[in-house]
Amino acid sequence: MARALAARGHEVTVACGRYEGARTGLDGPFRRGLREGRVAGFRVVEFDIPCSNAQGLAARTGAFLHYARRAARLAMGGGFDLALASSTPLTVALPALAAKRLRGLPFVFEIRDPWPELPRALSEARLGGGVPGPVLAAMDRLATAACRGASAVIGLTEGMAETAIARGANPARVHVVPNGCDLDLFGPHVSRWRPPEVAPWEVLAVYAGAHGRANGLDTAIDAATILRNIGERRVRIVLVGEGSERARLIEEAARRDLRNVTFLDPLPKPWVAALLSGAAIGLHLLAPVPAFAEWTAPNKLMDYLAAGLPVVTNAPGRAARLVEAGDDGAACGLAAPPGDATALADALAALAADPARRTAMGAAARGRAVRLWDRRLHAARLCDVLEEAAGVSPLARAA
Protein backbone atom coordinates (compact mmCIF):
# COMPACT_ATOMS: atom_id res chain seq x y z
CA MET A 1 0.00 0.00 0.00
CA ALA A 2 2.86 2.36 0.83
CA ARG A 3 4.57 1.51 -2.46
CA ALA A 4 1.37 2.31 -4.34
CA LEU A 5 1.09 5.70 -2.67
CA ALA A 6 4.74 6.46 -3.39
CA ALA A 7 4.27 5.44 -7.02
CA ARG A 8 1.53 8.09 -7.30
CA GLY A 9 4.05 10.72 -6.28
CA HIS A 10 3.25 11.03 -2.59
CA GLU A 11 5.85 11.34 0.15
CA VAL A 12 5.01 8.44 2.43
CA THR A 13 6.21 7.70 5.97
CA VAL A 14 5.45 4.36 7.61
CA ALA A 15 5.84 4.39 11.41
CA CYS A 16 6.07 1.05 13.20
CA GLY A 17 7.32 -0.65 16.33
CA ARG A 18 9.79 -3.52 16.60
CA TYR A 19 7.53 -6.51 16.10
CA GLU A 20 9.08 -9.90 16.83
CA GLY A 21 9.80 -11.82 13.63
CA ALA A 22 9.07 -8.86 11.35
CA ARG A 23 11.57 -7.30 8.96
CA THR A 24 11.36 -3.61 8.11
CA GLY A 25 14.33 -3.49 5.76
CA LEU A 26 16.27 -1.31 8.21
CA ASP A 27 19.39 -2.76 9.81
CA GLY A 28 21.22 0.19 11.35
CA PRO A 29 21.44 0.86 15.08
CA PHE A 30 18.65 2.50 17.04
CA ARG A 31 19.44 6.03 18.20
CA ARG A 32 17.25 7.86 20.69
CA GLY A 33 14.77 5.00 20.47
CA LEU A 34 14.34 4.85 16.71
CA ARG A 35 15.97 4.23 13.38
CA GLU A 36 14.82 5.32 9.96
CA GLY A 37 15.61 5.01 6.28
CA ARG A 38 14.07 4.55 2.86
CA VAL A 39 12.65 1.19 1.83
CA ALA A 40 11.00 0.47 -1.53
CA GLY A 41 10.57 4.17 -2.30
CA PHE A 42 9.16 5.38 1.00
CA ARG A 43 10.41 6.38 4.44
CA VAL A 44 10.26 3.93 7.34
CA VAL A 45 10.50 5.06 10.96
CA GLU A 46 10.97 2.08 13.28
CA PHE A 47 10.61 2.77 16.99
CA ASP A 48 12.57 0.60 19.42
CA ILE A 49 9.38 -0.72 21.01
CA PRO A 50 9.35 -4.54 21.31
CA CYS A 51 6.00 -6.22 20.71
CA SER A 52 4.85 -9.79 20.07
CA ASN A 53 1.77 -12.00 20.35
CA ALA A 54 3.52 -13.89 23.14
CA GLN A 55 3.46 -10.85 25.45
CA GLY A 56 0.92 -10.62 28.22
CA LEU A 57 -1.85 -8.03 28.28
CA ALA A 58 0.06 -5.57 30.46
CA ALA A 59 3.22 -5.70 28.33
CA ARG A 60 1.34 -5.32 25.07
CA THR A 61 -0.76 -2.46 26.44
CA GLY A 62 2.43 -0.72 27.51
CA ALA A 63 3.90 -1.19 24.04
CA PHE A 64 0.73 0.17 22.40
CA LEU A 65 0.69 3.29 24.58
CA HIS A 66 4.43 3.86 24.12
CA TYR A 67 3.94 3.67 20.36
CA ALA A 68 1.00 6.09 20.51
CA ARG A 69 3.16 8.64 22.34
CA ARG A 70 6.05 8.35 19.86
CA ALA A 71 3.74 8.36 16.83
CA ALA A 72 1.92 11.47 18.12
CA ARG A 73 5.21 13.34 18.36
CA LEU A 74 6.07 12.27 14.81
CA ALA A 75 2.65 13.22 13.41
CA MET A 76 2.70 16.69 14.94
CA GLY A 77 6.21 17.52 13.85
CA GLY A 78 6.52 15.87 10.46
CA GLY A 79 4.86 18.34 8.11
CA PHE A 80 2.30 15.82 6.89
CA ASP A 81 -0.93 16.51 5.00
CA LEU A 82 -2.79 13.38 6.13
CA ALA A 83 -2.43 10.59 8.69
CA LEU A 84 -3.61 6.99 8.26
CA ALA A 85 -4.36 5.35 11.62
CA SER A 86 -4.52 1.62 10.97
CA SER A 87 -5.98 -0.41 13.83
CA THR A 88 -5.34 -2.80 15.58
CA PRO A 89 -4.42 -1.81 18.20
CA LEU A 90 -7.11 0.80 18.73
CA THR A 91 -4.58 3.08 20.45
CA VAL A 92 -3.29 4.12 17.00
CA ALA A 93 -6.27 6.49 17.01
CA LEU A 94 -4.72 8.48 19.87
CA PRO A 95 -1.91 10.13 17.85
CA ALA A 96 -4.31 10.75 14.96
CA LEU A 97 -6.86 12.46 17.19
CA ALA A 98 -4.14 14.46 18.96
CA ALA A 99 -2.63 15.67 15.68
CA LYS A 100 -6.06 16.65 14.39
CA ARG A 101 -6.87 18.62 17.52
CA LEU A 102 -3.50 20.32 17.94
CA ARG A 103 -2.41 20.71 14.33
CA GLY A 104 -5.61 20.38 12.32
CA LEU A 105 -4.16 17.31 10.56
CA PRO A 106 -6.93 15.26 8.90
CA PHE A 107 -6.79 11.51 9.28
CA VAL A 108 -8.26 8.32 7.87
CA PHE A 109 -9.17 5.56 10.32
CA GLU A 110 -8.63 2.02 9.04
CA ILE A 111 -10.31 -0.84 10.92
CA ARG A 112 -8.39 -4.07 10.42
CA ASP A 113 -9.95 -5.62 13.54
CA PRO A 114 -12.99 -3.99 15.17
CA TRP A 115 -12.07 -3.01 18.72
CA PRO A 116 -13.67 -3.14 21.24
CA GLU A 117 -16.24 -5.34 19.48
CA LEU A 118 -13.87 -8.30 19.13
CA PRO A 119 -12.24 -8.06 22.59
CA ARG A 120 -15.74 -7.91 24.08
CA ALA A 121 -16.80 -10.99 22.10
CA LEU A 122 -13.64 -12.83 23.14
CA SER A 123 -14.19 -11.92 26.77
CA GLU A 124 -17.75 -13.20 26.60
CA ALA A 125 -16.43 -16.44 25.08
CA ARG A 126 -13.73 -16.57 27.78
CA LEU A 127 -11.01 -16.57 25.15
CA GLY A 128 -9.44 -13.17 25.70
CA GLY A 129 -8.37 -13.25 29.30
CA GLY A 130 -11.28 -11.03 30.32
CA VAL A 131 -10.85 -7.36 29.41
CA PRO A 132 -12.00 -5.25 32.40
CA GLY A 133 -15.25 -3.35 31.94
CA PRO A 134 -13.69 0.12 32.40
CA VAL A 135 -11.13 -0.70 29.70
CA LEU A 136 -13.87 -1.76 27.29
CA ALA A 137 -15.76 1.44 28.09
CA ALA A 138 -12.66 3.53 27.33
CA MET A 139 -12.22 1.61 24.07
CA ASP A 140 -15.83 2.36 23.17
CA ARG A 141 -15.25 6.09 23.59
CA LEU A 142 -11.99 6.02 21.63
CA ALA A 143 -13.44 3.98 18.74
CA THR A 144 -16.46 6.30 18.53
CA ALA A 145 -14.23 9.39 18.54
CA ALA A 146 -12.06 7.91 15.79
CA CYS A 147 -15.01 6.96 13.59
CA ARG A 148 -16.67 10.37 13.98
CA GLY A 149 -13.50 12.45 13.75
CA ALA A 150 -11.96 10.77 10.70
CA SER A 151 -12.22 12.28 7.25
CA ALA A 152 -12.85 8.74 6.03
CA VAL A 153 -13.11 5.26 7.56
CA ILE A 154 -11.88 2.09 5.87
CA GLY A 155 -12.99 -1.39 6.91
CA LEU A 156 -11.47 -4.65 5.72
CA THR A 157 -14.93 -6.22 5.49
CA GLU A 158 -18.50 -5.05 5.14
CA GLY A 159 -19.07 -6.15 8.73
CA MET A 160 -16.26 -3.91 9.98
CA ALA A 161 -17.59 -1.01 7.95
CA GLU A 162 -20.98 -1.48 9.61
CA THR A 163 -19.40 -1.12 13.05
CA ALA A 164 -18.05 2.30 12.00
CA ILE A 165 -21.46 3.46 10.79
CA ALA A 166 -23.02 2.23 14.04
CA ARG A 167 -20.54 4.47 15.89
CA GLY A 168 -21.64 7.54 14.00
CA ALA A 169 -19.33 7.63 11.00
CA ASN A 170 -20.83 9.33 7.94
CA PRO A 171 -21.90 6.40 5.68
CA ALA A 172 -20.77 8.37 2.61
CA ARG A 173 -17.25 8.38 4.02
CA VAL A 174 -17.07 4.71 4.97
CA HIS A 175 -15.31 2.42 2.50
CA VAL A 176 -14.40 -1.26 2.25
CA VAL A 177 -10.85 -2.04 1.11
CA PRO A 178 -10.19 -5.73 1.85
CA ASN A 179 -6.98 -7.66 2.29
CA GLY A 180 -5.54 -8.73 -1.02
CA CYS A 181 -3.18 -11.26 -2.54
CA ASP A 182 0.48 -10.55 -3.19
CA LEU A 183 0.75 -12.35 -6.52
CA ASP A 184 4.47 -11.65 -6.86
CA LEU A 185 5.49 -12.99 -3.45
CA PHE A 186 3.19 -16.03 -3.44
CA GLY A 187 2.42 -18.39 -6.30
CA PRO A 188 3.44 -21.39 -8.36
CA HIS A 189 6.59 -19.58 -9.51
CA VAL A 190 8.11 -19.73 -6.02
CA SER A 191 10.71 -22.42 -5.26
CA ARG A 192 9.30 -24.99 -2.86
CA TRP A 193 10.65 -25.73 0.60
CA ARG A 194 9.61 -28.44 3.05
CA PRO A 195 10.89 -29.04 6.59
CA PRO A 196 13.59 -31.74 6.69
CA GLU A 197 11.50 -34.15 8.78
CA VAL A 198 8.74 -34.27 6.17
CA ALA A 199 8.53 -37.48 4.13
CA PRO A 200 8.26 -37.12 0.32
CA TRP A 201 4.82 -38.73 0.31
CA GLU A 202 3.31 -36.55 3.04
CA VAL A 203 0.63 -33.98 2.22
CA LEU A 204 1.39 -30.76 4.09
CA ALA A 205 -1.50 -28.77 5.56
CA VAL A 206 0.03 -25.46 6.65
CA TYR A 207 -1.31 -22.97 9.17
CA ALA A 208 0.81 -19.78 9.25
CA GLY A 209 -0.28 -17.23 11.82
CA ALA A 210 -0.76 -16.38 15.47
CA HIS A 211 -1.01 -19.10 18.12
CA GLY A 212 -3.44 -17.43 20.53
CA ARG A 213 -6.62 -18.60 22.19
CA ALA A 214 -8.69 -16.84 19.53
CA ASN A 215 -7.08 -18.98 16.82
CA GLY A 216 -8.52 -22.23 18.18
CA LEU A 217 -5.52 -24.40 17.32
CA ASP A 218 -6.58 -27.09 19.78
CA THR A 219 -8.90 -28.17 16.98
CA ALA A 220 -5.86 -28.84 14.80
CA ILE A 221 -4.27 -30.92 17.57
CA ASP A 222 -7.51 -32.87 17.99
CA ALA A 223 -7.80 -33.39 14.22
CA ALA A 224 -4.22 -34.67 14.08
CA THR A 225 -5.06 -37.11 16.89
CA ILE A 226 -8.09 -38.38 14.96
CA LEU A 227 -6.03 -38.81 11.77
CA ARG A 228 -3.36 -40.73 13.67
CA ASN A 229 -5.92 -42.96 15.35
CA ILE A 230 -7.65 -43.92 12.08
CA GLY A 231 -4.32 -44.71 10.44
CA GLU A 232 -4.33 -41.73 8.04
CA ARG A 233 -0.60 -41.18 7.60
CA ARG A 234 -0.61 -39.02 4.49
CA VAL A 235 -1.41 -35.74 6.27
CA ARG A 236 1.11 -33.67 8.23
CA ILE A 237 -0.16 -30.51 9.94
CA VAL A 238 2.43 -27.71 10.05
CA LEU A 239 1.82 -24.85 12.51
CA VAL A 240 3.99 -21.77 11.87
CA GLY A 241 4.10 -18.76 14.17
CA GLU A 242 4.10 -17.70 17.79
CA GLY A 243 1.67 -16.66 20.46
CA SER A 244 0.56 -17.18 24.02
CA GLU A 245 -0.72 -20.72 23.38
CA ARG A 246 2.26 -22.05 21.41
CA ALA A 247 4.21 -23.61 24.30
CA ARG A 248 1.09 -25.36 25.62
CA LEU A 249 0.20 -26.66 22.15
CA ILE A 250 3.71 -28.06 21.66
CA GLU A 251 3.52 -29.75 25.06
CA GLU A 252 0.10 -31.22 24.28
CA ALA A 253 1.24 -32.55 20.89
CA ALA A 254 4.25 -34.16 22.58
CA ARG A 255 2.07 -35.65 25.32
CA ARG A 256 -0.12 -37.28 22.67
CA ASP A 257 2.96 -38.37 20.70
CA LEU A 258 1.65 -36.71 17.55
CA ARG A 259 4.31 -37.36 14.96
CA ASN A 260 2.07 -35.91 12.26
CA VAL A 261 2.37 -32.35 13.63
CA THR A 262 5.30 -29.99 13.05
CA PHE A 263 5.79 -26.65 14.79
CA LEU A 264 7.92 -23.96 13.12
CA ASP A 265 9.07 -20.65 14.54
CA PRO A 266 7.82 -17.47 12.82
CA LEU A 267 9.23 -17.16 9.32
CA PRO A 268 9.86 -14.12 7.12
CA LYS A 269 7.24 -13.81 4.40
CA PRO A 270 9.51 -15.11 1.58
CA TRP A 271 10.12 -18.27 3.61
CA VAL A 272 6.40 -18.66 4.23
CA ALA A 273 5.90 -18.35 0.47
CA ALA A 274 8.42 -21.14 -0.13
CA LEU A 275 6.74 -23.33 2.49
CA LEU A 276 3.32 -22.78 0.93
CA SER A 277 4.80 -23.63 -2.46
CA GLY A 278 5.86 -26.98 -0.99
CA ALA A 279 2.51 -27.56 0.72
CA ALA A 280 -0.74 -29.06 -0.54
CA ILE A 281 -3.37 -27.42 1.70
CA GLY A 282 -3.74 -24.04 3.40
CA LEU A 283 -5.25 -24.31 6.86
CA HIS A 284 -7.39 -21.43 8.18
CA LEU A 285 -8.57 -21.86 11.76
CA LEU A 286 -10.38 -19.74 14.35
CA ALA A 287 -12.01 -20.43 17.67
CA PRO A 288 -15.80 -20.94 17.51
CA VAL A 289 -16.79 -17.33 18.25
CA PRO A 290 -19.83 -16.07 16.27
CA ALA A 291 -18.36 -12.56 15.96
CA PHE A 292 -15.53 -13.97 13.83
CA ALA A 293 -17.96 -14.70 10.98
CA GLU A 294 -17.99 -11.16 9.54
CA TRP A 295 -15.50 -9.26 11.70
CA THR A 296 -12.27 -10.98 10.69
CA ALA A 297 -10.23 -10.83 7.48
CA PRO A 298 -7.11 -12.97 8.02
CA ASN A 299 -4.43 -12.20 5.47
CA LYS A 300 -3.22 -15.81 5.74
CA LEU A 301 -6.31 -16.76 3.74
CA MET A 302 -5.22 -14.39 0.97
CA ASP A 303 -1.70 -15.88 1.06
CA TYR A 304 -3.12 -19.39 0.56
CA LEU A 305 -5.20 -18.27 -2.42
CA ALA A 306 -2.24 -16.48 -3.99
CA ALA A 307 -0.08 -19.59 -3.50
CA GLY A 308 -2.64 -21.64 -5.39
CA LEU A 309 -3.53 -23.87 -2.43
CA PRO A 310 -6.91 -25.41 -1.69
CA VAL A 311 -8.08 -24.02 1.65
CA VAL A 312 -9.64 -25.85 4.57
CA THR A 313 -11.34 -23.40 6.92
CA ASN A 314 -13.45 -23.86 10.03
CA ALA A 315 -14.60 -20.23 10.09
CA PRO A 316 -18.20 -19.55 9.03
CA GLY A 317 -19.44 -16.47 7.21
CA ARG A 318 -17.02 -14.53 5.06
CA ALA A 319 -14.18 -17.10 5.07
CA ALA A 320 -16.51 -19.94 4.16
CA ARG A 321 -17.98 -17.89 1.32
CA LEU A 322 -14.51 -17.18 -0.04
CA VAL A 323 -13.74 -20.87 -0.53
CA GLU A 324 -17.14 -21.88 -1.82
CA ALA A 325 -17.93 -22.08 -5.54
CA GLY A 326 -17.87 -18.63 -7.13
CA ASP A 327 -19.03 -17.25 -10.45
CA ASP A 328 -16.76 -19.74 -12.18
CA GLY A 329 -18.60 -22.61 -10.52
CA ALA A 330 -15.43 -23.96 -8.91
CA ALA A 331 -14.73 -24.20 -5.20
CA CYS A 332 -11.25 -23.42 -3.93
CA GLY A 333 -11.52 -25.28 -0.64
CA LEU A 334 -13.66 -26.93 2.00
CA ALA A 335 -15.43 -25.44 5.03
CA ALA A 336 -15.82 -27.41 8.26
CA PRO A 337 -18.09 -26.37 11.14
CA PRO A 338 -16.43 -24.22 13.83
CA GLY A 339 -14.66 -26.21 16.52
CA ASP A 340 -15.50 -29.58 14.91
CA ALA A 341 -12.24 -31.58 14.95
CA THR A 342 -13.82 -34.64 13.30
CA ALA A 343 -15.10 -32.60 10.36
CA LEU A 344 -11.70 -30.91 10.06
CA ALA A 345 -9.95 -34.29 10.02
CA ASP A 346 -12.43 -35.59 7.43
CA ALA A 347 -11.78 -32.59 5.16
CA LEU A 348 -8.00 -33.01 5.38
CA ALA A 349 -8.25 -36.76 4.73
CA ALA A 350 -10.57 -36.23 1.76
CA LEU A 351 -8.15 -33.82 0.08
CA ALA A 352 -5.12 -35.99 0.91
CA ALA A 353 -6.80 -38.90 -0.84
CA ASP A 354 -7.69 -36.95 -4.00
CA PRO A 355 -4.72 -35.22 -5.70
CA ALA A 356 -6.83 -34.29 -8.74
CA ARG A 357 -9.34 -32.49 -6.54
CA ARG A 358 -6.54 -30.63 -4.76
CA THR A 359 -5.09 -29.56 -8.11
CA ALA A 360 -8.46 -28.30 -9.36
CA MET A 361 -9.17 -26.39 -6.17
CA GLY A 362 -5.66 -24.94 -6.15
CA ALA A 363 -6.08 -23.71 -9.71
CA ALA A 364 -9.44 -22.16 -8.76
CA ALA A 365 -7.79 -20.47 -5.76
CA ARG A 366 -5.01 -18.92 -7.84
CA GLY A 367 -7.46 -17.90 -10.56
CA ARG A 368 -9.72 -16.18 -8.05
CA ALA A 369 -6.70 -14.46 -6.48
CA VAL A 370 -5.71 -13.04 -9.86
CA ARG A 371 -9.20 -11.95 -10.89
CA LEU A 372 -10.61 -10.64 -7.62
CA TRP A 373 -8.00 -10.25 -4.91
CA ASP A 374 -4.90 -8.81 -6.55
CA ARG A 375 -3.51 -6.48 -3.89
CA ARG A 376 -2.66 -3.89 -6.54
CA LEU A 377 -6.37 -3.41 -7.22
CA HIS A 378 -7.04 -2.76 -3.54
CA ALA A 379 -3.99 -0.52 -3.26
CA ALA A 380 -5.38 1.69 -6.03
CA ARG A 381 -8.67 1.92 -4.16
CA LEU A 382 -6.90 2.83 -0.91
CA CYS A 383 -4.96 5.56 -2.73
CA ASP A 384 -8.21 6.99 -4.07
CA VAL A 385 -9.74 7.13 -0.58
CA LEU A 386 -6.67 8.77 0.98
CA GLU A 387 -6.33 11.33 -1.81
CA GLU A 388 -9.97 12.28 -1.50
CA ALA A 389 -9.59 12.67 2.27
CA ALA A 390 -6.50 14.84 1.77
CA GLY A 391 -8.30 16.97 -0.83
CA VAL A 392 -6.05 15.89 -3.69
CA SER A 393 -7.86 15.85 -7.02
CA PRO A 394 -6.82 13.49 -9.83
CA LEU A 395 -5.84 16.49 -11.99
CA ALA A 396 -3.68 17.96 -9.25
CA ARG A 397 -1.98 14.60 -8.73
CA ALA A 398 -1.34 14.20 -12.46
CA ALA A 399 0.23 17.66 -12.56
Side-chain angles (χ1 to χ4, degrees):
M1 299 300 188
R3 283 197 300 266
L5 285 163
R8 289 208 189 190
H10 300 295
E11 286 293 329
V12 181
T13 294
V14 173
C16 62
R18 184 160 58 83
Y19 194 81
E20 184 175 332
R23 301 289 183 270
T24 62
L26 304 179
D27 54 13
F30 287 92
R31 292 188 174 91
R32 295 183 179 179
L34 63 82
R35 60 184 176 185
E36 64 176 280
R38 296 195 69 81
V39 177
F42 55 89
R43 176 191 179 206
V44 174
V45 176
E46 181 181 3
F47 298 118
D48 189 12
I49 304 173
C51 188
S52 77
N53 285 332
Q55 288 177 327
L57 177 62
R60 294 187 76 194
T61 301
F64 297 161
L65 292 174
H66 188 189
Y67 173 84
R69 180 176 61 84
R70 297 299 302 269
R73 186 182 302 171
L74 176 69
M76 286 187 279
F80 303 110
D81 300 307
L82 180 76
L84 171 64
S86 184
S87 171
T88 55
L90 181 58
T91 45
V92 298
L94 291 171
L97 287 165
K100 179 182 180 182
R101 180 176 181 180
L102 299 176
R103 266 204 58 212
L105 181 69
F107 73 94
V108 171
F109 183 49
E110 183 182 33
I111 305 172
R112 302 188 68 82
D113 277 317
W115 283 24
E117 289 84 357
L118 273 185
R120 181 175 286 115
L122 292 173
S123 294
E124 291 171 353
R126 299 183 180 179
L127 290 173
V131 180
V135 175
L136 288 174
M139 286 185 182
D140 270 320
R141 291 192 294 271
L142 180 55
T144 298
C147 289
R148 294 181 179 179
S151 298
V153 179
I154 297 172
L156 258 63
T157 69
E158 288 77 7
M160 294 185 202
E162 289 169 3
T163 68
I165 295 172
R167 291 190 175 278
N170 182 345
R173 296 182 179 180
V174 176
H175 311 270
V176 176
V177 181
N179 276 329
C181 296
D182 190 329
L183 301 177
D184 296 327
L185 182 58
F186 296 91
H189 58 283
V190 177
S191 299
R192 67 200 303 262
W193 175 79
R194 288 157 66 95
E197 68 270 24
V198 175
W201 42 266
E202 286 185 305
V203 172
L204 297 191
V206 174
Y207 170 91
H211 291 40
R213 296 181 70 185
N215 303 105
L217 297 185
D218 281 301
T219 306
I221 300 298
D222 292 341
T225 304
I226 293 169
L227 292 169
R228 189 269 313 276
N229 291 346
I230 66 175
E232 174 54 80
R233 301 186 181 280
R234 288 170 293 193
V235 179
R236 175 176 291 274
I237 295 175
V238 180
L239 303 176
V240 186
E242 52 90 19
S244 60
E245 292 291 288
R246 185 173 189 265
R248 185 189 63 79
L249 291 166
I250 292 174
E251 181 179 340
E252 182 62 19
R255 188 186 70 79
R256 299 188 193 186
D257 193 27
L258 294 178
R259 302 181 185 182
N260 56 350
V261 178
T262 292
F263 289 89
L264 296 177
D265 290 337
L267 298 172
K269 277 282 191 178
W271 291 22
V272 173
L275 176 62
L276 295 185
S277 186
I281 299 168
L283 198 52
H284 173 245
L285 301 175
L286 285 170
V289 177
F292 286 162
E294 304 300 336
W295 285 352
T296 59
N299 54 23
K300 65 176 72 67
L301 188 54
M302 293 292 109
D303 295 345
Y304 301 155
L305 297 179
L309 289 180
V311 177
V312 173
T313 181
N314 71 348
R318 185 175 183 272
R321 293 194 299 272
L322 283 176
V323 304
E324 291 172 348
D327 294 339
D328 54 6
C332 57
L334 299 174
D340 190 332
T342 300
L344 180 63
D346 289 345
L348 293 173
L351 289 181
D354 196 340
R357 190 182 187 190
R358 293 200 311 269
T359 298
M361 285 185 166
R366 178 69 183 185
R368 202 168 297 176
V370 172
R371 292 194 313 276
L372 302 176
W373 301 105
D374 186 338
R375 183 171 290 170
R376 289 167 292 197
L377 300 175
H378 306 313
R381 175 63 178 147
L382 180 80
C383 291
D384 290 343
V385 173
L386 296 187
E387 288 172 353
E388 181 181 1
V392 178
S393 69
L395 291 178
R397 178 169 54 80

